[in-house]
């Protein structure tokens, strides 16, 4: 999650995720309808879904930043105010979506024929799994390079470490933060599309994934992209095991327990030390 | 481009945007099959302009928006004069309120008003709402005010403690599948200490690991905790009765010597009972606020490092605030359990936490009168919306308004309706070091 970089939990991220899901839901409904595309058209549809979901997420994220965060930053408000404002924005957005698009579970029109491509150790790997995997790797590579090498990445890191000094060095803080939100929003919206492909879209769909994303980020070390990936993988594995060994109703409880234990014993996360004082 | 960058254009665009958004918020709902129905309908539906003439919604909102933004412009350009004039008008009552006698008589008048209220409000819906939606939420808001307002900790899982208190009552009175604590069905009065202890213990257990950390971790952990408690209540069939809820919970009753009294389903006796407890809690929290503990909370909220350096143990006081807040939520749970006679997990969702949070924020963080009046005002409005819903309004739409209100309050009036007297920098202008320090 890009937000670790800014030292600020964005509660509205779940709604960015949701908006990406809804935007791509309507896109798929319009483009795919009842047909069953395959081959090249599937590839284009998936890319279109990622782009539309991502762009919607980015727009919503920028708006949230502009409306709910920037006035507070200008006033130098305490952290509590940001959290409350973000929670408010989150509730506003998801209930608004519920009002406009109905409060039902919707399943997305599939842009491809899901089938098992190959099996590893008896576990089927479907096309969906491959799409998710490829998308995740691409996004990770892109973000990692961006933060590590580009000028924008440098200013993001500078703002994260010390925003006042960064502004003295000629970094435009407002612009950097807005761009960070744009990037994070794009990722969130695209993730909303990928999630919706398999599980479906509903106005409250953002809540649990956002909580888990946060757990993963804390597990891996906040503000560390590679750590976030590692944390996400670990969390997924632990959850799958807990489905097998504990009551499936309690997978969320397991994720939450992990969060509390990590916070208790290693607040910096597994890979957290690289950034120094990250917690 | 120069035209687009000018301040006036930006302001006009913002006003148009806000008006369109409000138009959308109050419009008819849409559906997945016709997603544009809600959006288009919000602007094009027929509507009468305050009964004067018939037109479409967007015209009404355009006129209202223009009027309001003109007023806002006028206010901004003549801000100093307006502020001066209002100060003159308000200064009379304000100096009057500084006299102890006047303050006391105002309090007395409010108390008398609260006493005779059930005689004034005779509608059955409102009498029920006064207990289950207003009085109990005043209690909850008072409790959360200690956590968020006094100690500055954002607790988004407040409903968890409320649920713990309610389920502990159900358990002690023998309404759960689990055998009751003493083997007999007891009066809810005796369940009060049990529920409070349970809520406090869960507050301490949750608080000790998380209160060491930054505020945002606390927020997300409590959010998770609130969700987990609902999950448990839903799934532990053997203990909580699961999604079906509990069996009948007995009412409060009072048998001492010749006095026999049982609170029944009628809301008015419960109203007086809850009112008594609300006053008790106000007194307790007021004296807490002005005690050593309250001052320590303020110190920690304003600057934790400085507080620690003058010998205050932040963890101890934070856990204390958390436990006290949890205890009052547990207490509200007891009353809910006994009054409604029956519990099910659907009562204890995250929405309740956010609902209570907005009461505290709206009224004024750290201000007891703020929490009380905020709770009464917002809960009354939301009850009114349930009682007589405007066209196109759905029950969940309330949270659109609540979310919007949270953002608006944070931007324009972070101190709330009745700001606390003893708030220093946090509200007015925190120096950047304070916000960076944690």
């Amino acid at each position: 999650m890009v937000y670790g970089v800014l030292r600020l939990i964005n509660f509205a991220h779940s709604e960015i995720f949701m908006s990406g899901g809804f935007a791509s839901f309507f896109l798929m409904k319009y483009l795919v309808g009842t047909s069953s595309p395959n081959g090249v058209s599937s590839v284009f549809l998936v890319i279109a879904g990622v782009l539309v979901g991502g762009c919607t997420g980015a727009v919503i994220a920028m708006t949230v930043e502009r409306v709910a965060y920037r006035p507070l930053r200008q006033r130098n408000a305490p952290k509590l105010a940001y959290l409350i404002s973000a929670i408010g924005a989150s509730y506003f957005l998801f209930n608004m979506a519920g009002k406009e698009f109905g409060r039902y579970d919707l399943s997305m029109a599939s842009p491809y024929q899901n089938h098992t491509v190959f099996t590893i150790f008896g576990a089927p790997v479907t096309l969906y799994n491959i799409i998710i995997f490829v998308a995740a790797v691409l996004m990770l590579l892109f973000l990692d390079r961006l933060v590590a090498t580009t000028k924008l990445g440098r200013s993001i890191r500078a703002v994260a470490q010390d925003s006042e000094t960064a502004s003295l060095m000629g970094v435009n803080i407002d612009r950097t933060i807005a761009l960070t939100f744009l990037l994070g929003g794009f990722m969130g919206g695209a993730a909303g599309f990928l999630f919706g492909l398999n599980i479906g879209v509903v106005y409250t769909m953002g809540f649990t994934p956002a909580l888990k994303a946060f757990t993963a980020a804390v597990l891996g070390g906040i503000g560390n992209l590679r750590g976030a990936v590692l944390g996400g993988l670990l969390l997924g594995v632990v959850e799958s095991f807990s489905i097998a060994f504990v009551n499936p109703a309690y997978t969320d409880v397991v994720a939450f327990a992990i969060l509390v234990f990590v916070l208790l014993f290693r607040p910096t996360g597994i890979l957290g030390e690289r950034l120094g004082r990250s917690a | 481009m120069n035209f687009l960058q000018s301040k006036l254009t930006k302001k006009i665009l913002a006003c148009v945007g806000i008006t369109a958004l409000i138009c959308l918020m109050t419009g008819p709902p849409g559906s997945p099959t016709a997603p544009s129905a809600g959006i288009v309908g919000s602007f094009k539906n027929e509507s009468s302009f305050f009964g004067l003439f018939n037109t479409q919604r967007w015209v009404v909102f355009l006129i209202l928006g223009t009027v309001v933004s003109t007023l806002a412009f006028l206010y901004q350009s003549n801000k100093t004069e307006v502020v001066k004039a209002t100060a003159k008008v308000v200064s009379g009552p304000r100096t009057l309120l500084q006299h102890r006698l006047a303050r006391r008589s105002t309090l007395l008048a409010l108390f008398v008003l609260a006493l005779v209220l059930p005689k004034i409000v005779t509608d059955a819906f409102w009498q029920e709402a006064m207990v289950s939606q207003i009085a109990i939420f005043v209690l909850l808001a008072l409790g959360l005010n200690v956590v968020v307002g006094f100690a500055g900790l954002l607790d988004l899982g407040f409903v968890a403690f409320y649920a713990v208190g309610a389920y502990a009552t159900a358990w002690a009175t023998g309404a759960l599948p689990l055998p009751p604590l003493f083997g007999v069905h007891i009066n809810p009065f005796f369940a009060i200490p049990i529920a409070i202890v349970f809520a406090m213990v869960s507050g301490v257990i949750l608080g000790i690991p998380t209160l060491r950390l930054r505020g945002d971790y606390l927020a997300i952990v409590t959010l998770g905790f609130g969700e987990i408690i609902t999950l448990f209540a839903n799934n532990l069939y053997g203990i909580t009765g699961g999604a079906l809820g509990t069996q009948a919970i007995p009412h409060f009753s009072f048998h001492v010597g010749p006095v026999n009294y049982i609170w029944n389903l009628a809301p008015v006796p419960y109203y007086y009972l809850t009112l008594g407890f609300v006053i008790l809690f106000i007194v307790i929290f007021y004296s807490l606020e002005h005690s050593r503990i309250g001052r320590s909370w303020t110190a920690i909220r304003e600057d934790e490092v400085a507080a620690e350096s003058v010998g205050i143990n932040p963890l101890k006081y934070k856990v204390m605030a958390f436990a006290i807040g949890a205890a009052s939520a547990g207490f509200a749970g007891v009353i809910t359990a006994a009054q409604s006679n029956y519990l099910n997990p659907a009562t204890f969702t995250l929405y309740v936490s956010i609902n209570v949070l907005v009461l505290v924020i709206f009224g004024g963080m750290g201000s007891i009168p703020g929490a009380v009046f905020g709770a009464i005002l917002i809960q009354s409005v939301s009850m009114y919306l349930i009682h007589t819903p405007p066209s196109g309004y759905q029950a969940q739409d309330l949270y659109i308004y609540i979310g919007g209100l949270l953002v608006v309050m944070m931007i324009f009036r972070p101190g709330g309706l009745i700001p606390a007297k003893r708030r220093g920098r946090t509200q007015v202008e925190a120096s950047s070091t304070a916000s960076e320090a944690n």
Side-chain angles (χ1 to χ4, degrees):
Chain A
M1 297 263 121
V2 178
Y3 293 100
V5 176
L6 291 183
R7 304 263 173 95
L8 195 152
I9 294 175
N10 185 7
F11 280 111
H13 201 65
S14 48
E15 273 46 71
I16 290 159
F17 180 80
M18 183 267 307
S19 67
F22 264 105
S24 49
F25 167 78
F26 286 118
L27 181 81
M28 288 301 137
K29 196 176 154 185
Y30 180 70
L31 288 183
V32 179
T34 49
S35 66
S36 44
N38 51 28
V40 183
S41 60
S42 297
V43 175
F44 277 113
L45 283 172
V46 170
I47 292 174
V50 168
L51 284 180
V52 167
C55 291
T56 317
V59 169
I60 298 278
M62 293 271 277
T63 318
V64 166
E65 194 272 333
R66 186 76 192 74
V67 173
Y69 288 112
R70 196 174 290 180
L72 300 185
R73 201 162 56 241
Q74 280 162 357
R75 212 184 53 217
N76 236 331
K79 208 155 224 165
L80 190 66
Y82 284 97
L83 293 175
I84 293 169
S85 172
I87 271 282
S90 163
Y91 266 71
F92 180 84
L93 285 172
F94 88 72
N95 284 294
M96 200 71 192
K99 182 184 174 80
E100 296 304 335
F101 307 128
R103 297 181 171 86
Y104 322 98
D105 289 304
L106 309 166
S107 57
M108 205 183 273
S110 178
Y112 55 84
Q113 307 297 309
N114 203 3
H115 58 89
T116 307
V117 182
F118 56 88
T119 52
I120 306 174
F121 305 124
V125 175
T126 61
L127 192 57
Y128 174 72
N129 299 101
I130 294 175
I131 291 175
I132 293 273
F133 184 75
V134 170
V137 168
L138 283 180
M139 280 187 196
L140 176 70
L141 280 179
F142 170 65
L143 263 191
D144 197 45
R145 287 298 91 199
L146 184 107
V147 171
T149 57
T150 62
K151 195 173 170 213
L152 172 66
R154 217 163 43 233
S155 35
I156 290 177
R157 278 179 293 145
V159 172
Q161 281 187 353
D162 188 338
S163 57
E164 245 168 90
T165 315
S167 76
L168 288 177
M169 301 292 176
V171 178
N172 183 341
I173 296 190
D174 276 350
R175 197 168 150 264
T176 309
I177 292 181
L179 283 174
T180 315
F181 268 79
L182 187 130
L183 273 176
F186 187 86
M187 298 286 151
F193 166 66
L194 296 173
F195 183 87
L197 272 182
N198 191 25
I199 296 173
V201 188
V202 65
Y203 74 113
T204 51
M205 68 191 254
F207 181 77
T208 321
L211 200 63
K212 284 183 182 157
F214 180 75
T215 310
V218 170
L219 189 63
I222 277 245
N224 184 331
L225 285 174
R226 294 165 201 181
V229 173
L230 185 69
L233 281 175
L234 264 177
L235 184 70
V237 170
V238 173
E239 278 198 347
S240 316
F241 274 110
S242 77
I243 291 177
F245 294 116
V246 199
N247 184 343
Y250 295 130
T251 44
D252 292 350
V253 179
V254 171
F256 175 73
I258 291 176
L259 176 63
V260 170
F261 275 103
V262 173
L263 288 180
L264 197 54
F265 296 112
R266 197 177 165 81
T268 48
I270 298 169
L271 294 180
E273 281 157 327
R274 284 194 196 157
L275 267 183
R277 272 173 19 97
S278 69
Chain B
M1 277 319 269
N2 225 357
F3 158 76
L4 269 177
Q5 302 259 311
S6 84
K7 244 183 174 169
L8 188 72
T9 334
K10 271 189 182 169
K11 273 188 180 167
I12 291 176
L13 278 179
C15 289
V16 170
I18 291 169
T19 314
L21 203 60
I22 292 175
C23 196
L24 205 58
M25 276 163 69
T26 51
S31 70
T33 45
S36 53
I39 297 166
V40 176
S42 302
F43 297 102
K44 289 193 85 174
N45 271 13
E46 290 280 310
S47 159
S48 78
F49 190 80
F50 296 105
L52 292 178
F53 53 90
N54 280 336
T55 176
Q56 290 183 329
R57 281 177 62 88
W58 68 271
V59 181
V60 177
F61 279 90
L62 193 68
I63 296 171
L64 285 183
T66 318
V67 170
V68 173
S69 16
T70 318
L71 284 180
F73 273 122
L74 282 178
Y75 172 73
Q76 269 194 340
S77 48
N78 306 312
K79 201 168 183 179
T80 40
E81 284 109 71
V82 177
V83 169
K84 253 185 212 164
T86 39
K88 224 176 223 170
V89 177
V90 178
S91 70
R94 195 171 274 170
T95 42
L96 198 68
L97 268 181
Q98 274 164 359
H99 293 294
R100 180 174 275 186
L101 189 71
R103 236 180 15 225
R104 291 216 169 144
S105 49
T106 319
L107 279 181
L108 191 72
L110 285 177
F111 177 66
V112 172
L113 181 69
L115 278 186
V116 297
L117 203 59
K119 293 271 175 280
I120 305 170
V121 183
T122 45
D123 186 74
F125 172 86
W126 282 104
Q127 286 202 338
E128 170 67 26
M130 265 180 356
V131 182
S132 64
Q133 294 297 322
I134 299 179
I136 286 177
F137 274 81
V138 168
L139 267 183
L140 287 170
L142 280 171
L144 190 65
N145 186 36
V146 172
V147 183
V148 179
F150 292 171
L153 310 162
L154 186 58
D155 181 354
L156 297 175
F158 204 58
V159 68
F161 307 120
Y162 182 41
V164 166
Y167 272 97
T169 313
W171 176 47
T173 53
L176 292 188
L178 199 68
L181 188 56
F182 306 113
V184 284
H185 293 210
I186 61 166
N187 186 336
F189 271 123
F190 300 110
I192 290 175
I194 301 168
I196 286 185
V197 166
F198 265 87
M200 277 181 112
V201 167
S202 54
V204 170
I205 290 176
L206 185 70
I208 286 180
T210 47
L211 288 171
R212 292 169 202 273
L213 302 159
R214 303 192 311 179
D216 13 3
Y217 287 93
L218 180 72
I220 204 118
V221 170
T222 47
L223 189 72
F225 185 63
E227 189 69 4
I228 299 302
I229 287 284
T230 323
L231 261 177
F232 274 131
N234 250 321
N235 289 304
L236 293 172
Y237 283 93
I239 298 174
T240 62
L244 294 175
T246 61
Q247 298 144 28
I249 297 164
H251 284 290
F252 279 107
S253 54
F254 190 75
H255 308 281
V256 177
V259 187
N260 269 311
Y261 192 80
I262 299 175
W263 276 261
N264 273 321
L265 269 175
V268 175
Y270 267 104
Y271 172 76
Y272 286 115
L273 184 75
T274 321
L275 181 68
F277 285 126
V278 165
I279 291 170
L280 180 74
F281 270 83
I282 289 177
V283 171
I284 293 175
F285 287 155
Y286 182 80
S287 40
L288 260 181
E289 187 189 356
H290 294 273
S291 71
R292 192 188 172 84
I293 300 172
R295 288 195 300 274
S296 310
W297 283 335
T298 314
I300 293 168
R301 184 188 66 209
E302 300 294 328
D303 191 337
E304 196 170 326
V305 178
E308 206 167 353
S309 69
V310 294
I312 296 169
N313 178 353
L315 185 63
K316 181 178 139 195
Y317 283 99
K318 281 182 179 175
V319 171
M320 202 187 272
F322 221 61
I324 290 172
S328 61
F331 188 86
V334 179
I335 298 182
T336 311
Q339 195 253 340
S340 65
N341 238 205
Y342 162 80
L343 297 173
N344 86 32
T347 324
F348 304 103
T349 55
L350 273 178
Y351 287 97
V352 178
S353 304
I354 302 300
N355 199 342
V356 179
L357 182 70
V358 81
L359 308 179
V360 174
I361 305 285
F362 181 73
M365 279 185 275
S367 141
I368 291 174
V372 175
F373 286 112
I376 294 174
L377 209 67
I378 291 192
Q379 286 303 107
S380 308
V381 170
S382 74
M383 279 297 104
Y384 177 78
L385 285 176
I386 289 172
H387 188 55
T388 42
S391 74
Y393 177 83
Q394 293 169 308
Q396 295 100 320
D397 287 359
L398 180 65
Y399 293 93
I400 300 178
Y401 301 104
I402 280 186
L405 186 63
L406 280 177
V407 178
V408 169
M409 289 303 285
M410 279 302 112
I411 295 174
F412 294 109
R413 204 173 159 88
L417 200 63
I418 308 175
K421 281 181 199 141
R422 192 154 33 117
R423 279 193 84 87
R425 302 180 310 175
T426 1
Q427 162 204 335
V428 196
E429 205 177 334
S431 79
S432 58
T433 41
S435 52
E436 297 284 304
N438 38 30

